[in-house]
Amino acid sequence: MVLAHGAGAGMHHSFMVTLAQLLSEQAIATLRYNFPFAENKKGRPDTPAVAHQTIEAAISKAQKLLPELPLFVAGKSFGGRMSSQYLAAHPHAEVKGLIFYGFPLHPPGKPSTDRAEHLKDVKTPMLFLQGTKDELATWSLIEPVCSSLKLATLVKIEGANHAFKAGKQNILQLLADTTKDWIEKSIKKS
């Protein structure tokens, strides 16, 4: 799995490191990478064109490193949205699925579904792991968006916000377990 980070932190953020570790314990090889803005310690995220080029390079690297493994593309927030935009415009037959760790449907406090328009053009199965208290994806909006997409599976994480904080629950383990189960089902189908 190639795993893109969000707009607020790079690949070394504890969320990314811990998730990759938990996925590796589930026998899922994970290639984390930085977008140029994170690598160069710039505060503002890259333009979509730059982000898409970075995702393309990560997919290519993963294919070269482990060509025999099924390939999944994933991202936290911004990383997931940029990955889905890239795959909507550049379908890859070898990509078996797309996983969103909190799809950023809209800016905080500005409910909208405009950022989901491109999802109908994604040709690969999609897994949305979404908290019910996600400030960037109002549940009453993300649920109908996902139900309108034939290839989407939406997993409701009760009480979790956009950072996947939900009291004392171990949300990261839940994310890894759910990812593993979905990947196994996806591989069996294909």
Side-chain angles (χ1 to χ4, degrees):
M1 171 194 298
V2 294
L3 179 59
H5 62 79
M11 70 181 215
H12 299 294
H13 185 271
S14 62
F15 178 92
M16 299 294 289
V17 172
T18 304
L19 180 60
Q21 177 60 42
L22 292 169
L23 290 168
S24 75
E25 291 169 10
Q26 302 277 13
I28 298 170
T30 305
L31 173 71
R32 288 179 292 126
Y33 60 94
N34 272 336
F35 288 108
F37 81 92
E39 191 67 24
N40 298 313
K41 298 184 178 20
K42 306 248 192 244
R44 193 162 171 75
D46 298 312
T47 63
V50 170
H52 297 166
Q53 287 176 339
T54 307
I55 292 159
E56 184 174 51
I59 288 171
S60 178
K61 184 69 171 180
Q63 290 174 304
K64 284 184 179 111
L65 289 171
L66 298 164
E68 70 283 359
L69 293 181
L71 177 63
F72 289 82
V73 175
K76 169 75 178 104
S77 192
F78 170 83
R81 184 164 67 100
M82 291 299 107
S83 295
S84 61
Q85 286 178 356
Y86 171 75
L87 288 172
H90 306 92
H92 281 266
E94 59 278 356
V95 174
K96 303 299 180 202
L98 175 59
I99 301 152
F100 299 101
Y101 296 103
F103 184 82
L105 187 58
H106 54 74
K110 297 181 181 176
S112 162
T113 59
D114 297 346
R115 288 182 178 177
E117 282 300 311
H118 71 281
L119 294 173
K120 66 184 179 309
D121 297 324
V122 175
K123 307 290 185 233
T124 185
M126 295 172 275
L127 173 63
F128 290 79
L129 297 154
Q130 295 288 150
T132 58
K133 294 186 176 175
D134 190 329
E135 314 82 43
L136 304 183
T138 306
W139 190 258
S140 63
L141 294 178
I142 193 72
E143 197 172 34
V145 163
C146 289
S147 65
S148 74
L149 300 167
K150 288 181 192 164
L151 296 173
T153 300
L154 174 62
V155 175
K156 181 181 199 175
I157 302 176
E158 199 61 54
N161 67 8
H162 193 65
F164 289 104
K165 302 278 190 241
K168 296 187 188 287
Q169 296 179 67
N170 185 352
I171 301 295
L172 282 168
Q173 188 64 58
L174 174 67
L175 295 176
D177 293 345
T178 305
T179 299
K180 176 187 177 267
D181 293 344
W182 186 80
I183 283 177
E184 285 179 349
K185 286 178 190 161
S186 298
I187 291 170
K188 284 178 186 167
K189 283 182 186 175
S190 65

